[in-house]
């Protein structure tokens, strides 16, 4: 488990891949290193703060379309608050492969906006679990204001809050999708 001493060593890097003891400036880079590892499994600890789309001045771009085989857990360092904020411009995460398994713990997903489905998160074939997360003020022009699940994807939300999210409609589950 990561400690606050590790956080102080971060400098400009915000994402720590625990199993490889390696820091990254960009969440996508950390995820790519995990998918390229032999185990394809890892936990990414995130420094406390608000992460926005194309925020290269500080840490990382959160507008992420991920399609590679990997099992990834993303969570804050103990006691820190992490917010992924799309500022109403883009979705935050799109997981698009049956080989993708992602778990988010204690994260706030805010103001994601999708032109089509899944304002904060789109789950297409993938498996996504949220634990103790908040999804707020997300919007989709079609379906799934906060989350859209399609094509056999699986989405589980444990002890999560969905606040003020909106979309055009509610998608009926099809093709073995599970919520």
């Amino acid at each position: 488990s990561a400690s606050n001493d590790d956080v102080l060593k971060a400098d400009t890097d915000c994402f720590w891949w625990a199993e490889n003891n390696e820091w990254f400036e960009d969440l996508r880079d950390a995820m790519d290193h995990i998918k390229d590892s032999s185990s394809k499994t890892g936990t990414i600890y995130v420094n406390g703060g608000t992460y926005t789309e194309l925020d290269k001045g500080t840490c990382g771009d959160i507008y992420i379309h991920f399609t590679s085989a990997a099992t990834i857990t993303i969570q804050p360092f103990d006691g820190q608050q992490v917010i992924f904020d799309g500022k109403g411009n883009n979705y935050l995460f799109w997981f698009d492969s049956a080989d993708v398994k992602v778990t988010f713990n204690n994260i706030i997903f805010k103001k994601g906006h999708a032109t089509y489905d899944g304002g904060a998160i789109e789950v297409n074939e993938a498996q996504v679990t949220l634990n103790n997360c908040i999804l707020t003020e997300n919007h989709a022009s079609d379906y799934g204001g906060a989350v859209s699940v399609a094509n056999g994807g699986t989405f589980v939300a444990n002890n999560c809050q969905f606040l003020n999210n909106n979309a055009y409609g509610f998608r009926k589950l099809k093709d073995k999708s599970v919520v």
Side-chain angles (χ1 to χ4, degrees):
S1 171
S3 72
N4 286 331
D5 291 337
D6 296 319
V7 175
L8 296 175
K9 295 176 190 171
D11 196 24
T12 60
D13 296 333
C14 297
F15 306 99
W16 185 57
W17 175 17
E19 291 79 7
N20 213 42
N21 196 26
E22 188 172 355
W23 284 100
F24 296 89
E25 287 185 33
D26 189 285
L27 179 57
R28 176 59 193 242
D29 288 346
M31 294 170 74
D32 283 344
H33 275 76
I34 290 172
K35 66 115 173 143
D36 291 338
S37 72
S38 60
S39 71
K40 298 189 180 306
T41 301
T43 299
I44 299 170
Y45 288 91
V46 183
N47 276 338
T50 299
Y51 297 86
T52 60
E53 173 201 10
L54 302 176
D55 190 6
K56 294 293 186 185
T58 54
C59 277
D61 178 5
I62 59 162
Y63 174 60
I64 294 175
H65 180 200
F66 195 73
T67 61
S68 302
T71 301
I72 300 172
T73 299
I74 300 170
Q75 64 190 42
F77 281 93
D78 291 338
Q80 296 188 20
Q81 183 180 64
V82 170
I83 300 170
F84 293 138
D85 186 347
K87 293 188 172 182
N89 296 322
N90 280 307
Y91 64 82
L92 302 175
F93 295 93
W94 177 10
F95 300 107
D96 195 14
S97 169
D99 296 324
V100 173
K101 297 177 181 121
V102 178
T103 299
F104 290 96
N105 297 319
N106 303 303
I107 303 283
I108 298 171
F109 300 86
K110 181 178 177 181
K111 293 186 181 179
H113 175 82
T115 305
Y116 298 104
D117 302 332
I121 302 169
E122 182 161 357
V123 180
N124 187 40
E125 298 183 287
Q127 296 176 31
V128 175
T129 301
L130 304 181
N131 296 309
N132 304 304
C133 293
I134 298 172
L135 294 95
T136 183
E137 301 174 58
N138 298 290
H139 172 77
S141 296
D142 281 338
Y143 301 103
V147 178
S148 175
V149 182
N151 299 320
T154 301
F155 175 72
V156 177
N158 297 306
N159 197 36
C160 294
Q161 297 178 49
F162 292 79
L163 308 167
N164 302 315
N165 300 290
N166 64 70
Y168 171 75
F170 181 78
R171 174 181 299 206
K172 292 181 181 177
L173 296 177
K174 59 182 181 178
D175 300 324
K176 300 181 184 175
S177 296
V178 178
V179 176

